[in-house]
C-alpha cells in the first residue's frame, strides 16, 4: 500500500496473493488486509478473481470474492486488519 501511495498510483491491482500456501496466515488474509487498507485510505482498488482478465481502462469494481457467500463480514475487523502486525514470518 505504501509503495502505491508513494508512487501516486491511480488504481491498485494486487497480484501474487493467495496462489501458494507459503505462510502461517490464512490464505485470504493478504486480500483482506489490502482491501481494508485501500478503503481506509481512499485508494481505488480492483481485485479480480484468479485468472480473470482486467481491462485497465475499465476495471471491475472491487468485490470481496474470497469471502464465504452468505457470511456477514464485520467491517470493524477492517480497522483491525489495517493496523495489525503481519503474521509471524510474513513481510509487511
Amino acid at each position: 500500500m505504501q509503495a502505491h501511495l508513494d508512487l501516486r498510483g491511480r488504481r491498485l491491482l494486487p497480484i501474487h496473493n493467495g496462489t501458494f500456501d507459503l505462510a502461517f496466515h490464512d490464505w485470504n488474509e493478504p486480500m483482506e488486509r489490502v482491501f481494508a487498507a485501500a478503503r481506509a485510505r481512499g485508494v481505488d482498488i480492483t481485485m479480480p478473481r484468479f485468472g480473470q482478465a482486467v481491462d485497465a481502462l475499465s476495471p471491475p469494481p472491487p468485490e470481496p470474492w474470497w469471502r464465504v457467500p452468505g457470511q456477514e463480514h464485520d467491517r470493524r475487523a477492517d480497522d483491525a486488519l489495517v493496523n495489525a502486525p503481519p503474521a509471524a514470518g510474513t513481510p509487511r
Side-chain angles (χ1 to χ4, degrees), residues 30-83:
M31 291 175 276
E32 286 291 348
R33 291 174 74 90
V34 73
F35 189 67
R39 285 182 16 160
R41 291 170 178 84
V43 169
D44 187 14
I45 187 170
T46 188
M47 300 188 67
R49 298 178 192 287
F50 298 132
Q52 180 181 353
V54 175
D55 179 349
L57 298 177
S58 181
E63 174 191 353
W65 56 264
W66 58 88
R67 294 181 182 156
V68 177
Q71 182 178 4
E72 184 65 29
H73 176 70
D74 183 359
R75 291 184 184 263
R76 293 171 295 171
D78 290 349
D79 292 334
L81 280 170
V82 169
N83 299 311

Side-chain angles (χ1 to χ4, degrees), residues 17-18 20-31 33 86-91:
N17 52 340
F20 299 101
D21 189 9
L22 301 175
F24 296 112
H25 56 69
D26 290 338
W27 77 273
N28 62 348
E29 182 182 333
M31 291 175 276
R33 291 174 74 90
T90 56

